[in-house]
Amino acid sequence: MPLYNDATRRLMNDQRLYLTDGGFETSMLFHEGLDLPSFAACVILDSDAGRDAMTRYFERYLGLAATAGTGFVLDTNSWRSGVHWASTLNRSPADMLRLTGDAVDFAKELRADWSGRVSPILINGVVGPSGDGYAPDVELDPALAQSLHAPQIDVFAREGVDMVSALTMTHPGEAIGIARASVAAGLPVVISFTVETDGDLPNGQSLADAIAEVDAATDAAPIYYMVNCAHPEHFQETLSGGWTARIGGVRTNASRLSHAELDVAESLDEGDPEELGALHVGLARRLPGLRVVGGCCGTDHRHVHQIAETCLIPA
C-alpha cells in the first residue's frame, strides 16, 4: 500500500490542483546560458551564478502558485546527482551525495522564503534514471536499481524531504527498485514514466501495463504515477480505463518532437504556450486522480501560467 506522511496526505486530500515547475534543465541551459555537463544541472549548485539562476527560475513558478492560491511541489535539483553519475561528471560518489544534500537545503531555504505566500510547499526529492532518459541501453532489474539509487534516497530521508519522485522512467524495473528504496527509507514515492510519440514507454510497453507491473511488484507503493517529458498529443488517446485513476500528475513537453529528435536538437523548441495550456483541459477530464500539473523540456513559466489559467484559475 502507498506510504503517506502528513504532507502527502494533505496533497492527496486537497480539492485544489497543485502546481510544480517546468523544464528546469532546458531553462538553465537555453535561457540562463549555464553549462550542464551530461545534462546534469546539479553542478550549478556550486556557483553563485547557478544558485541565482535557480532562485529566479523557481520564484517565477512560486509566484504563479501564489496567484492561483494553491500549493506547490518544489523539486530538488538532483535529477542527475545520484552516485552512479560520479565518474561521468568527474566527481566522487561522496561529492554527488553532498550535491544531493545541497539541493535539499536550497529547496528548504526557498520554501522558508515563500511559506507566507504559498501553502503548502512540498519538498520533492527528484531521482532520475541511471542512464539515458530517452533511450535506455540497459533495463535494470529491481534489485540492482534499488541498490543503485538507495544512497541518494537515503540522503533525502536524512534531510527530511516530503516525498521522492522518480522522473523520466523508461521501464518498470528501475521504477520498482526506486519505489522499494523509497519505502525502505520511509519516504512516500511517485513514479513518473516518459512515453514516445505513440504513447508507449521507450521499451515498447504500454503505460497501463507499466503501472500495473510496478503496482504488482511493490504492493502499490507509489502514492500516484505521473507522465513527463512528452507532448499531450503523444499519450492523451491512451488514457482510458480504470488504471488512469493512478495517474496523479502530468509534466508535459512544449514540443511535439520525438525523443530522438529532441536528443539532437541544437535549439529549443518552445511550442505554443497557449495551445499547451488548452490541451490540459482534455488531460484533466481524462485523469480523475490528477493532483499536480507542470511542464517538462522546453517549457518555462509562460507555459505553466497557461496551464494554471486553464486548470486552476476559474474563468
Side-chain angles (χ1 to χ4, degrees):
M1 296 294 292
L3 174 67
Y4 295 101
N5 52 24
D6 289 344
T8 53
R9 194 172 290 111
R10 179 176 179 182
L11 166 65
M12 298 304 289
N13 292 331
D14 205 325
Q15 296 302 305
R16 304 171 296 172
L17 280 176
Y18 285 27
L19 282 180
T20 189
D21 65 297
F24 176 69
E25 284 83 5
T26 52
S27 292
M28 294 298 102
L29 182 63
F30 290 100
H31 295 317
E32 295 289 348
L34 297 173
D35 181 31
L36 309 184
S38 298
F39 215 50
C42 58
V43 299
I44 69 175
L45 285 159
D46 281 340
S47 72
D48 289 340
R51 287 172 171 265
D52 288 346
M54 288 173 61
T55 300
R56 287 192 298 271
Y57 171 86
F58 281 110
E59 287 193 335
R60 294 187 184 106
Y61 296 97
L62 286 161
L64 294 177
T67 298
T70 194
F72 193 82
V73 176
L74 178 57
D75 283 0
T76 59
N77 176 10
S78 52
W79 187 67
R80 279 193 170 166
S81 68
V83 294
H84 45 282
W85 287 100
S87 60
T88 300
L89 299 176
N90 294 316
R91 302 265 183 151
S92 69
D95 200 34
M96 300 306 293
L97 295 179
R98 190 267 304 171
L99 285 170
T100 296
D102 287 353
V104 178
D105 289 342
F106 179 91
K108 286 181 176 178
E109 292 170 7
L110 200 56
R111 176 168 66 179
D113 290 342
W114 280 81
S115 61
R117 290 168 281 179
V118 177
S119 180
I121 299 173
L122 280 72
I123 304 298
N124 182 38
V126 173
V127 177
S130 61
D132 192 322
Y134 287 167
D137 52 358
V138 176
E139 293 190 26
L140 300 184
D141 68 73
L144 177 57
Q146 182 173 352
S147 65
L148 197 68
H149 290 285
Q152 184 184 34
I153 291 170
D154 288 344
V155 171
F156 288 142
R158 290 195 299 271
E159 294 289 333
V161 302
D162 296 306
M163 57 195 286
V164 168
S165 288
L167 298 184
T168 332
M169 293 290 105
T170 60
H171 60 283
E174 188 163 18
I176 292 167
I178 292 171
R180 289 174 176 170
S182 299
V183 170
L187 290 172
V189 61
V190 170
I191 298 296
S192 183
F193 287 112
T194 190
V195 296
E196 300 290 348
T197 57
D198 61 0
D200 289 341
L201 273 62
N203 72 343
Q205 191 172 19
S206 73
L207 186 58
D209 287 348
I211 289 174
E213 184 173 338
V214 176
D215 270 354
T218 64
D219 192 24
I223 60 173
Y224 60 84
Y225 291 85
M226 291 179 59
V227 181
N228 80 287
C229 210
H231 191 273
E233 291 183 351
H234 294 169
F235 64 93
Q236 62 185 2
E237 295 303 320
T238 71
L239 301 176
S240 177
W243 65 274
T244 59
R246 289 290 278 140
I247 299 181
V250 289
R251 299 190 60 163
T252 58
N253 281 358
S255 174
R256 286 181 171 83
L257 294 177
S258 69
H259 288 156
E261 291 169 324
L262 288 172
D263 231 2
V264 297
E266 296 182 359
S267 59
L268 186 64
D269 182 358
E270 298 178 340
D272 182 336
E274 289 190 10
E275 179 191 48
L276 188 68
L279 287 170
H280 280 72
V281 175
L283 288 178
R285 288 172 179 162
R286 292 169 182 262
L287 297 172
L290 191 62
R291 309 301 320 133
V292 180
V293 290
C296 205
C297 290
T299 63
D300 55 40
H301 63 285
R302 298 169 300 160
H303 302 80
V304 176
H305 170 74
Q306 292 298 325
I307 294 169
E309 286 281 330
T310 57
C311 292
L312 280 74
I313 303 174

